[in-house]
């Protein structure tokens, strides 16, 4: 009985790996690639007037790139569908919209904006420190805050 969940998990992993391999193989097929390109070009073309209306209403900056906006909007949903074991829930779309609007309003999705900056080692160290602080809990945060205000001699 105890080994049954492990066996099922292993079977699912093998099945998911096989599915992923088929998807990768399909993407490499030139006919599939061309069909995907046409489908997404059509979706982006259809989104342009919607994004333009939002810009005209002042809901988005005037220089928002419609293609980047749509890519950013669908990324969290596609990630859950294709990569993550997490389900796509009602809140997934709401979160995707909030993330996309925040990025657009911050100018990240502007036409001609440079490629996103890559994280530096210092950024990685800072993120690791923040993660460790969260793991330590609120008491560690309070201790850091108190010690940050004092000078050592």
């Amino acid at each position: 009985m105890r080994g049954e969940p492990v066996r099922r998990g292993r079977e699912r992993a093998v099945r998911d790996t096989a599915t992923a391999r088929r998807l990768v193989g399909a993407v490499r097929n030139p006919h599939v690639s061309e069909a995907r390109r046409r489908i997404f070009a059509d979706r982006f073309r259809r989104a342009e007037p919607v994004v333009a209306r939002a810009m005209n209403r002042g809901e988005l900056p005037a220089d928002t790139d419609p293609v980047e906006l749509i890519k950013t909007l669908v990324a969290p949903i596609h990630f859950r569908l294709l990569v993550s074991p997490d389900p796509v829930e009602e809140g997934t779309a709401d979160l995707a919209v909030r993330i996309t609007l925040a990025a657009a309003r911050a100018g990240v999705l502007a036409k001609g904006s440079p490629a996103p900056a890559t994280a530096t080692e210092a950024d990685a160290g800072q993120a690791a420190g923040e993660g460790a602080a969260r793991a330590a809990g609120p008491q560690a945060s309070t201790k850091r805050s108190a010690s940050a205000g004092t000078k050592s001699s």
Side-chain angles (χ1 to χ4, degrees):
M1 215 39 181
R2 190 167 177 220
E4 184 64 17
V6 172
R7 184 188 62 74
R8 284 188 306 217
R10 190 174 299 128
E11 287 173 358
R12 180 175 181 193
V14 168
R15 191 173 55 248
D16 290 351
T17 301
T19 300
R21 285 188 181 137
R22 282 194 298 274
L23 287 171
V24 168
V27 169
R28 291 182 180 156
N29 179 311
H31 299 292
V32 173
S33 293
E34 178 57 22
R36 285 180 53 230
R37 188 200 61 73
R38 284 194 317 265
I39 289 167
F40 282 103
D42 180 61
R43 287 187 180 176
F44 295 143
R45 182 187 53 75
R46 290 176 187 221
E48 284 182 16
V50 176
V51 174
R53 287 193 300 268
M55 289 187 290
N56 291 336
R57 290 189 303 262
E59 297 169 353
L60 292 171
D63 61 349
T64 300
D65 183 333
V67 171
E68 290 305 315
L69 182 115
I70 298 303
K71 287 178 182 179
T72 303
L73 178 64
V74 301
I77 297 164
H78 284 189
F79 179 82
R80 285 180 179 236
L81 285 171
L82 300 173
V83 178
S84 169
D86 299 333
V88 176
E89 301 169 332
E90 194 170 312
T92 305
D94 292 336
L95 179 60
V97 168
R98 289 196 312 272
I99 290 167
T100 302
L101 288 175
R105 291 173 180 157
V108 176
L109 304 179
K111 291 178 185 172
S113 63
T118 57
T120 64
E121 288 183 29
D123 294 332
Q126 181 179 356
E130 290 168 357
R134 277 193 296 277
Q139 295 166 344
S141 173
T142 305
K143 289 177 187 173
R144 270 194 321 279
S145 297
S147 66
T150 62
K151 289 186 179 180
S152 59
S153 36

